[in-house]
Amino acid sequence: GDSVTQMEGPVTLSEEAFLTINCTYTATGYPSLFWYVQYPGEGLQLLLKATKADDKGSNKGFEATYRKETTSFHLEKGSVQVSDSAVYFCALSQVGSGGSNYKLTFGKGTLLTVNP
Amino acid sequence: KAGVTQTPRYLIKTRGQQVTLSCSPISGHRSVSWYQQTPGQGLQFLFEYFSETQRNKGNFPGRFSGRQFSNSRSEMNVSTLELGDSALYLCASSPDRGSYGYTFGSGTRLTVV
């Protein structure tokens, strides 16, 4: 079945450092890929998405590129802020591949802490 | 535009009881999904409804059930609660196809004692 593997962390960075959170996936067909963020005590917020190979999703300084050849969707940000401290989840959805897999498959999540 | 609303936010139940959680999707969204989040298992898919029909179901026992009403609001029910059912239950809505992304509610924190 489908699966998502991401670095589990925790990741601790200083403010203005460069961030990379690795995410790779296993899936049949052509999944859509997502990054979600969860702040303490809250639900998940969609951070960015990409629906086909070579698409780049971006939002709030975060970027991720859909790499079909390496089955990866790594999250990057050039300069993190204290307010970016949260748990980040990589996920995929098979909608659009002709199947009936109307769900998100998540990685385990990566806790990011940014210190001032 | 109102987001996804889940009620109640917190719930404490006793083993053996049953519980019903409610989710109101974003206006116009016809797909509603439910997920269970625990520290050990992470985020696991429970089921997804579209136009009052269950389209997909995860690997959970039959004690977990759900339904969707004609106004797209959804409820999930857990019967004969077990301690292991303690979790954050998240509801997500989408216009239809998942490629739009899913919008999540803040969740219901269920504690079974």
Side-chain angles (χ1 to χ4, degrees), chain A residues 34 36 38 44 49 95-96 104, chain B residues 35 37 97-99 102 104:
Chain A
F34 307 87
Y36 281 85
Q38 186 175 35
L44 303 176
K49 65 174 181 173
V95 173
L104 287 165
Chain B
Y35 292 81
Q37 185 177 24
R97 295 164 63 90
S99 58
Y102 296 82
F104 282 80

Side-chain angles (χ1 to χ4, degrees), chain A residues 42-44, chain B residues 3-6 23 89-93 103-108:
Chain A
E42 298 185 14
L44 303 176
Chain B
V4 178
T5 303
Q6 290 189 246
C23 172
Y89 289 88
L90 293 164
C91 167
S93 75
T103 302
F104 282 80
S106 297
T108 294

Side-chain angles (χ1 to χ4, degrees), chain B residues 50-106:
Chain B
F50 179 79
S51 292
E52 303 178 66
T53 300
Q54 187 181 87
R55 285 200 296 197
N56 200 5
K57 188 177 189 304
N59 294 323
F60 279 82
R63 300 185 298 107
F64 291 81
S65 62
R67 60 178 174 169
Q68 186 181 33
F69 302 96
S70 58
N71 61 358
S72 293
R73 191 177 70 85
S74 177
E75 290 181 346
M76 69 162 282
N77 183 278
V78 187
S79 62
T80 319
L81 284 165
E82 301 177 359
L83 294 178
D85 297 333
S86 295
L88 179 66
Y89 289 88
L90 293 164
C91 167
S93 75
S94 175
D96 180 6
R97 295 164 63 90
S99 58
Y100 288 105
Y102 296 82
T103 302
F104 282 80
S106 297

Side-chain angles (χ1 to χ4, degrees), chain A residues 51-66:
Chain A
T51 58
K52 61 183 187 295
D54 300 325
D55 266 2
K56 176 184 282 188
S58 61
N59 186 27
K60 300 180 182 179
F62 291 89
E63 292 183 341
T65 301
Y66 189 142

Side-chain angles (χ1 to χ4, degrees), chain A residues 27-84:
Chain A
T28 57
Y30 304 95
S32 295
L33 302 174
F34 307 87
W35 277 100
Y36 281 85
V37 58
Q38 186 175 35
Y39 298 99
E42 298 185 14
L44 303 176
Q45 296 179 25
L46 177 63
L47 183 58
L48 52 84
K49 65 174 181 173
T51 58
K52 61 183 187 295
D54 300 325
D55 266 2
K56 176 184 282 188
S58 61
N59 186 27
K60 300 180 182 179
F62 291 89
E63 292 183 341
T65 301
Y66 189 142
R67 301 287 188 199
K68 189 162 170 42
E69 64 276 13
T70 55
T71 61
S72 65
F73 193 55
H74 304 321
L75 182 68
E76 296 182 337
K77 186 176 186 183
S79 176
V80 294
Q81 305 300 312
V82 172
S83 57
D84 293 328

